[in-house]
């Protein structure tokens, strides 16, 4: 989690409640295994402050990114798409916990299943897709025995290309995507986005100003033929290890992260 977040015990022993963006967002998460942190905060902060369209959070987990985007953008509507049963159940609880039922819905479907996406009414409905794909192909790493952690980190049942094909299917023509991923995945991301999204912008995310990028935010417009643009780096921490002033403002929900030229 990020500086200033609050963690509280839930009434169920396996769940804790975290609070993000100066306690504007309440979030139930598993006590053990994968829990959302800075990657999710950056992705939600990539939504412009005046955004009033429909957002799809694909691979939503417990709903962190989509719910944060809804909390920060009161005119936006959001669909959370998640196939893991446990994570989807917590996402539904989190929608109610934040009183966002009128603007946020859950689609508990497998993102890789085109028929399921179609049946859930997802095809070409999103003005903006936000996604934090699992970082590893299922055959490339040792798989965690914990199902929730494995689902968050390992692409099971498909590839990064399959994931971004699904993102393309959900995005309306002229809509756009923002994804966060490992910096060393850039080549694969560009290959998977080619022919689907253009006008791509890449914003490297560095843990410190003098350290190599470990993450990148990449955005693009469906059907665009505009050229690629590399944006200035975003630095998370000072040399002393504290969040930079910019990131402190992002963590409080007071600043956004620009991802479009």
């Amino acid at each position: 989690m990020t500086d200033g977040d609050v963690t509280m015990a839930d009434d169920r022993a396996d769940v804790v409640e975290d609070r993000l963006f100066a306690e504007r967002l309440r979030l139930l998460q598993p006590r053990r295994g994968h829990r959302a942190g800075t990657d999710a905060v950056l992705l939600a902060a990539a939504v412009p402050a005046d955004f009033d369209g429909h957002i799809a959070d694909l691979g939503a987990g417990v709903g962190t990114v989509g719910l944060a985007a809804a909390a920060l953008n009161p005119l936006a509507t959001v669909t959370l798409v998640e196939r893991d049963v446990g994570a989807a159940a917590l996402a539904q609880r989190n929608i109610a916990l934040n009183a966002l039922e009128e603007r946020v819905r859950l689609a508990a479907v497998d993102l890789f299943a085109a028929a399921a996406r179609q049946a859930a009414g997802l095809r070409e409905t999103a003005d903006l897709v936000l996604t934090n794909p699992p970082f590893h192909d299922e055959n490339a790493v040792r798989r965690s025995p914990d199902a929730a952690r494995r689902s968050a980190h390992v692409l099971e049942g498909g590839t990064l290309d399959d994931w971004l094909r699904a993102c393309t299917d959900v995005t309306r023509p002229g809509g756009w995507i923002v994804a966060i991923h490992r910096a060393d995945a850039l080549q694969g991301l560009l290959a998977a986005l080619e022919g689907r999204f253009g006008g791509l912008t890449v914003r490297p995310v560095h843990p410190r100003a003098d350290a190599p990028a470990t993450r990148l935010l990449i955005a693009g417009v469906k059907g665009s033929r505009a050229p690629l643009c590399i944006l200035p780096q975003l630095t998370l921490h000072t040399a002393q290890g504290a969040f930079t002033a910019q990131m402190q403002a992002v963590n409080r929900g007071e600043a956004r992260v620009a991802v479009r030229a």
Side-chain angles (χ1 to χ4, degrees), residues 42 202-217 230-237 244 246-247 257-258:
L42 291 174
V202 178
R203 186 154 194 191
V205 180
H206 297 244
R208 300 182 315 278
D210 60 349
T214 54
R215 296 285 187 272
L216 55 82
L217 287 157
I230 306 295
L231 300 178
Q233 74 178 58
L234 174 69
T235 302
L236 299 181
H237 301 100
T244 62
Q246 180 183 12
M247 278 305 302
V257 176

Side-chain angles (χ1 to χ4, degrees), residues 116-134:
R117 296 196 305 268
Q118 179 77 17
L122 297 174
R123 189 170 188 275
E124 294 192 339
T125 57
D127 300 296
L128 169 60
V129 163
L130 300 175
T131 190
N132 182 3

Side-chain angles (χ1 to χ4, degrees), residues 30 68 83 93 95 134 136 141 155 167 187 198 215 236 243 258:
R83 68 179 177 180
R93 291 178 65 191
I95 294 171
H136 305 287
V141 295
L155 274 163
C167 291
Q187 184 175 5
R215 296 285 187 272
L236 299 181
F243 278 110

Side-chain angles (χ1 to χ4, degrees), residues 38-215:
T38 297
D39 287 359
V41 169
L42 291 174
L43 195 53
V47 183
D50 60 352
F51 186 84
D52 60 359
H54 183 67
I55 298 169
D57 176 6
L58 303 188
V62 302
T64 308
V65 172
L67 289 168
L72 294 173
N73 297 271
L75 298 180
T77 59
V78 178
T79 298
L80 309 176
V81 182
E82 176 55 49
R83 68 179 177 180
D84 180 81
V85 174
L90 280 178
Q92 191 66 64
R93 291 178 65 191
N94 285 330
I95 294 171
L97 186 64
N98 291 280
L100 287 169
E101 296 95 334
E102 292 187 2
R103 293 195 293 121
V104 181
R105 77 176 182 107
L106 172 69
V109 299
D110 186 347
L111 187 61
F112 290 137
R117 296 196 305 268
Q118 179 77 17
L122 297 174
R123 189 170 188 275
E124 294 192 339
T125 57
D127 300 296
L128 169 60
V129 163
L130 300 175
T131 190
N132 182 3
F135 285 169
H136 305 287
D137 289 339
E138 59 184 333
N139 296 321
V141 295
R142 183 177 180 180
R143 298 170 58 176
S144 170
D146 180 86
R149 181 180 291 274
R150 186 169 64 247
S151 178
H153 293 283
V154 178
L155 274 163
E156 295 185 295
T159 65
L160 181 60
D161 185 77
D162 295 328
W163 188 281
L164 291 172
R165 181 184 297 114
C167 291
T168 308
D169 181 60
V170 173
T171 309
R172 68 166 180 79
W176 52 300
I177 185 174
V178 183
I180 191 166
H181 213 295
R182 302 188 328 269
D184 62 4
L186 178 58
Q187 184 175 5
L189 285 166
L190 292 176
L193 290 166
E194 185 177 5
R196 295 167 177 162
F197 292 87
L200 298 177
T201 56
V202 178
R203 186 154 194 191
V205 180
H206 297 244
R208 300 182 315 278
D210 60 349
T214 54
R215 296 285 187 272

